[in-house]
Amino acid sequence: MPEPMSLTSRRGLLFGTAAVSAGALLVGCTSNDTKDDKPAANDQPAADDKPGKHVTIGFAGPQADHGWLNAINDNARSRAKKYSDVSLEITEGSNDTAAQIGQIETLINKKVDVLVVLPADGKALTQVGLKAMRAGIPVINLDRIFNSPQAYRCWIGGDNYGMGLSAGHYIGEKLKGKAGARVIELAGLDNLELTKQRTEGFDAALKNYPNIKKVARQAAEFTVESGQAKMSQLLQAQPKFDALWNHDDDQGVGALRAIEQAGRDDFLMVGGAGALSAFQAIEAGDSVLKATVLYPPTMAASAIDLARTLGQGKGIGGLAEFEIPASLTLFSAVVDKDNVKQYMATGFK
């Protein structure tokens, strides 16, 4: 099972886990002077990150119709409030491509210093990202990636393939001593590339455990209702299995309802994303849910830090380079009963 990185390592935190928002790490620097590398608390900017040039950040995301997306907006707002030198212009959010493009164009016309965009559809919004960059406004592309690297200065997001990989290895290690072990998978929306990547990572991990066979896979829709309905179908079709990987903790709420209604407790379940309800169930230890794999919404807080750093023309503390990286992929850590207390504060509702 992947272990959380030490909290004494700034670089380890930045590239190893999103348990602590990278805001505690993205310390503006204009020299290579040695400084205290001790990170600040989760909910505060780093203590040695003095106020600098004022930066107006425009933030545009999709409609918060899912627990994870709502947490994205909350993380952006709360992070911006930590900085006296940051103003946040946040849009209402929309899943309508034309509406989101219009919102971003409004931010461009307001001449914000930096844009943070989580597109409802990365491909469809690539042109407006290009428009911002050509107007001299650097873009932080959050999670759903634009089609062209020219449309953003930096991409930051989760690792969907890594989620599947971490889930597969966790389950594999739990079942490696069991002959003829059987696992099933409750996926998300199959028309999304991220769902395919999560399944590919899961299957790749299971190849390391020849005693384990995946016997069923069902796609849900990232909702409580679909999770309950699809899990009921899986339980009826598969009277005997040893482990379940569920791609999303929101649909996992429904899956757990179906499992409880069926009176099943003869297998272990691993979730995905990092919802507070999942953390609480793991800590309580009174259900089949034993672990969840992070897809941390704290990436929005990190995007605000990166935007501030870009707007002030600085680099990242702990790195030798004067510029921020072109991309940051967050690590998909496994949270179980051994480390859930460490992650509880990052859980989203």
Side-chain angles (χ1 to χ4, degrees), residues 19 32 98 189 217 246:
N32 290 328
L189 284 162
R217 179 186 184 275
N246 161 56

Side-chain angles (χ1 to χ4, degrees), residues 120-326:
D121 183 324
K123 179 180 179 181
L125 268 76
T126 297
Q127 288 302 314
V128 78
L130 286 165
K131 183 176 181 178
M133 291 288 287
R134 288 166 182 162
I137 301 174
V139 176
I140 305 292
N141 181 193
L142 184 59
D143 195 46
R144 301 170 187 173
I145 195 164
F146 293 138
N147 268 13
S148 170
Q150 296 183 70
Y152 59 88
R153 166 59 183 83
C154 176
W155 174 86
I156 178 170
D159 184 356
N160 288 294
Y161 183 88
M163 278 185 78
L165 206 62
S166 291
H169 279 299
Y170 181 86
I171 288 172
E173 289 301 303
K174 292 296 182 183
L175 300 180
K176 65 181 180 181
K178 182 177 178 62
R182 297 159 60 89
V183 303
I184 64 173
E185 180 181 7
L186 183 63
L189 284 162
D190 256 344
N191 64 335
L192 297 180
E193 185 62 28
L194 65 88
T195 298
K196 299 172 186 174
Q197 292 169 349
R198 292 177 187 185
T199 291
E200 288 169 0
F202 187 61
D203 291 345
L206 291 183
K207 288 179 181 178
N208 294 284
Y209 305 94
N211 65 305
I212 298 175
K213 181 180 180 182
K214 187 169 81 172
V215 296
R217 179 186 184 275
Q218 182 69 263
E221 299 172 5
F222 293 127
T223 64
V224 173
E225 295 75 17
S226 70
Q228 184 170 356
K230 299 300 183 180
M231 191 66 227
S232 293
Q233 294 174 18
L234 279 170
L235 290 168
Q236 290 171 12
Q238 301 295 327
K240 178 62 179 175
F241 58 91
D242 301 288
L244 158 70
W245 182 44
N246 161 56
H247 285 207
D248 176 74
D249 285 333
D250 270 20
Q251 71 185 26
V253 172
L256 283 170
R257 286 179 189 168
I259 291 164
E260 289 166 6
Q261 288 171 359
R264 297 284 295 273
D265 61 1
D266 53 330
F267 59 90
L268 69 91
M269 174 179 170
V270 176
L276 180 61
S277 62
F279 291 162
Q280 291 170 337
I282 291 165
E283 184 177 45
D286 56 2
S287 76
V288 296
L289 183 61
K290 304 303 180 186
T292 192
V293 185
L294 293 185
Y295 197 84
T298 50
M299 66 177 70
S302 301
I304 296 299
D305 295 316
L306 287 167
R308 175 178 179 267
T309 301
L310 266 178
Q312 294 178 344
K314 298 178 180 179
I316 297 176
L319 296 180
E321 290 74 25
F322 290 111
E323 300 286 345
I324 71 167

